[in-house]
Amino acid sequence: MPALKKIALTITSAALLSGFVLSPAAAADKDTSDDKQPKPPSTMSSLGGEQLGKAGTQVNLGPGAPVLPKKLSGRSWIVADAESGDVLAAHNSHWRLPPASTLKMLFADTVLPALQPTTLAHKVTENELSGVGEGSSLVGIKEDHTYTVHDLWLGVFLRSGNDAVHVLSEMYGGVQKTVDAMQAHAEELQALDTVVVSPDGYDAPRQVSSAYDLTLIARSGLQKKDFREYAATASADFPGEKKKGKKRESFEISNTNRLITGDIGVDPYQGIAGVKNGYTTHAGNTFTGVAERNGKVLLVTVMNPSAEESHAVYKEAAHLLDWGFAASGKVTPVGQLVPPRSLDTGTGIGGKGATPAAGAVQGPGGKAEATHASASNGSSGVGTALAIIGGLLVVLAAAVFLVNRRWPMAGRTRGTETDAAETDATAAETKDAEDTGKAGKSAEDTGEAGKDVEDAGKDVKGDPEGAGATASAAPTDKS
């Protein structure tokens, strides 16, 4: 018996020891990547619906509804019906995060109506370019050169040019006046997660927005004809440098929104019609888009995906749009995009008392045009319907702008910083195009509100969306 007891104890000890040895190995095999990601705050705004204030993914699948795409890595995202305002699904949609150049949508929605006509010419001064952040994405504006307002907006929407934003801000009355107007307009739109510090989305302490707010802002901007057309433009001719004794040349610029223009590993999205992409070191990649399919118009916003694959923000946005079109009518909305405070919809989800933003347009969109624009052309000249990309004809149906017709009304209707690598070459591209006279067109040279929030509330340097981070930690802002 003693011998048997000894053997039994030996076997038991070996079994326990093997368990202790194997357990850590099994734990090590577990994917803990999600544990390293920042967590959303425990309390978020519930504007638009109670579910939208909850952390994690919110979706109410009905019979026959497809499941959400797998491996969505955005810290925050939302997909919504642009016309009805129904939020089909959301993930941490009120998480206040740095927006990067998607904030330029708010800049455009605020400033566009005031700087009319777009044929207005302006001679740029050195002072107007002095405030552009180091490493910013640029369209290539030169001091002592004249540009039309139309030219400058093409620089904002296509190349996410912070130089163009600063010139337009000075024309509006100065950077601070522009920031204040943007903040006031955000509050009118009920984009209450948004705190504006810089007009171009360049990283700044406490500057934040949310997927919900950016979607509200896009929806508002899309009610303006100029906004829609600029956002849908695939390419344009931009005025180059004026050289003494020579005709001023122009060069071609292309939209950095890869769902419009496509790129290696990402195809143009059928039915896409804008809106804006962004990237900074602090914000990561951000994107808001609008697309139409079979008369249905959807908005999508994705913020800071953690996936390491190239163009993840566009791929995840495209997957969400595909899901949204397939799920439309088969899900119960998790919330609503609220209307501006100044519109009394009778739904109980909007407020009253704010003054409507100047120049808000509510009416049908214009005719479809080709999406290559001549920057020297003072007329609209930008396209909203056709984009010829890589031999593929992408039809942007006029129905994509049904959002222009109405906000959700009670009983009636009424007449809405690039991928880091994408703009790294902007300056070199601009210079090369100017020196060679590419595109050959001439242009006349005529004579802090808010609260500190999460990790976004730290003092940070802007990482411009197109210039690329350098070894020296200089801020880069690539939109």
Side-chain angles (χ1 to χ4, degrees):
M1 287 294 288
L4 289 175
K5 285 184 179 180
K6 196 178 223 180
I7 292 172
L9 285 172
T10 301
I11 293 173
T12 302
S13 299
L16 290 171
L17 180 61
S18 65
F20 287 130
V21 171
L22 291 175
S23 294
D29 289 339
K30 182 182 177 182
D31 182 6
T32 59
S33 58
D34 287 344
D35 297 335
K36 299 177 183 178
Q37 295 296 318
K39 304 297 182 185
S42 57
T43 302
M44 292 182 286
S45 168
S46 59
L47 182 66
E50 184 179 348
Q51 276 190 267
L52 298 179
K54 297 179 180 179
T57 300
Q58 306 300 318
V59 63
N60 301 323
L61 298 177
V67 297
L68 283 164
K70 297 180 179 179
K71 298 183 179 179
L72 294 172
S73 66
R75 289 187 186 178
S76 174
W77 54 258
I78 189 171
V79 58
D81 187 307
E83 192 170 12
S84 70
D86 289 343
V87 177
L88 306 184
H91 179 79
N92 302 326
S93 63
H94 277 294
W95 190 356
R96 303 173 83 185
L97 297 166
S101 279
T102 50
L103 194 65
K104 288 183 172 79
M105 295 188 296
L106 179 60
F107 170 73
D109 195 34
T110 303
V111 175
L112 247 175
L115 298 182
Q116 298 291 335
T118 57
T119 53
L120 177 67
H122 176 77
K123 190 171 185 179
V124 176
T125 67
E126 180 181 1
N127 183 62
E128 290 171 338
L129 297 174
S130 62
V132 177
E134 184 181 355
S136 283
S137 51
L138 307 170
V139 68
I141 290 172
K142 308 289 186 184
E143 63 183 82
D144 296 325
H145 283 60
T146 300
Y147 302 85
T148 65
V149 170
H150 177 65
D151 297 335
L152 296 171
W153 282 118
L154 287 171
V156 171
F157 278 89
L158 274 65
R159 298 306 296 172
S160 204
N162 289 1
D163 47 356
V165 170
H166 277 258
V167 173
L168 288 165
S169 295
E170 291 298 334
M171 294 176 69
Y172 186 75
V175 170
Q176 189 57 53
K177 179 180 178 181
T178 303
V179 167
D180 292 344
M182 290 170 65
Q183 187 67 57
H185 188 43
E187 292 170 7
E188 150 65 11
L189 296 178
Q190 301 204 69
L192 304 181
D193 299 325
T194 299
V195 177
V196 184
V197 179
S198 66
D200 49 19
Y202 192 87
D203 280 342
R206 300 175 67 187
Q207 180 158 272
V208 289
S209 190
S210 66
Y212 184 88
D213 280 16
L214 292 172
T215 307
L216 284 182
I217 292 163
R219 192 178 187 220
S220 174
L222 289 167
Q223 294 189 63
K224 299 175 176 65
K225 183 174 183 291
D226 285 352
F227 186 107
R228 293 195 304 268
E229 292 179 338
Y230 288 128
T233 301
S235 62
D237 296 317
F238 194 82
E241 185 175 359
K242 180 75 168 75
K243 296 181 179 179
K244 189 175 181 180
K246 293 185 178 180
K247 185 179 180 180
R248 190 176 185 184
E249 304 286 358
S250 63
F251 59 94
E252 186 175 276
I253 58 175
S254 297
N255 201 317
T256 57
N257 177 350
R258 297 313 185 202
L259 289 191
I260 288 179
T261 59
D263 200 2
I264 297 174
V266 57
D267 294 326
Y269 191 85
Q270 186 171 2
I272 193 70
V275 173
K276 191 73 189 73
N277 53 311
Y279 173 85
T280 67
T281 297
H282 196 51
N285 288 286
T286 57
F287 176 74
T288 297
V290 61
E292 182 273 342
R293 186 178 297 173
N294 298 325
K296 178 67 65 177
V297 187
L298 297 182
L299 283 160
V300 65
T301 296
V302 177
M303 301 186 76
N304 201 351
S306 60
E308 295 181 0
E309 66 174 330
S310 176
H311 301 313
V313 74
Y314 300 113
K315 293 175 181 177
E316 294 188 18
H319 292 327
L320 283 168
L321 285 170
D322 285 342
W323 175 85
F325 287 122
S328 181
K330 301 175 183 176
V331 296
T332 300
V334 298
Q336 281 278 318
L337 298 177
V338 296
R341 282 177 168 169
S342 56
L343 290 181
D344 180 9
T345 66
T347 61
I349 57 175
K352 296 169 96 175
T355 301
V361 176
Q362 292 187 332
K367 286 186 177 181
E369 302 172 60
T371 59
H372 178 88
S374 172
S376 59
N377 183 354
S379 62
S380 63
V382 283
T384 60
L386 300 177
I388 301 176
I389 305 166
L392 296 177
L393 185 63
V394 181
V395 178
L396 309 179
V400 73
F401 303 126
L402 287 173
V403 66
N404 180 59
R405 292 194 322 198
R406 56 186 177 270
W407 296 95
M409 302 295 288
R412 68 185 190 279
T413 61
R414 62 183 285 183
T416 128
E417 287 175 38
T418 53
D419 238 17
E422 291 170 6
T423 54
D424 283 343
T426 300
E429 174 188 291
T430 299
K431 185 178 187 302
D432 289 345
E434 291 170 3
D435 290 343
T436 58
K438 182 180 177 182
K441 288 228 176 186
S442 62
E444 290 183 22
D445 195 359
T446 56
E448 166 134 306
K451 302 175 182 178
D452 292 322
V453 289
E454 295 115 40
D455 61 338
K458 302 173 184 176
D459 289 351
V460 293
K461 295 289 186 179
D463 180 46
E465 304 160 30
T470 64
S472 65
T476 49
D477 165 32
K478 303 182 176 187
S479 302

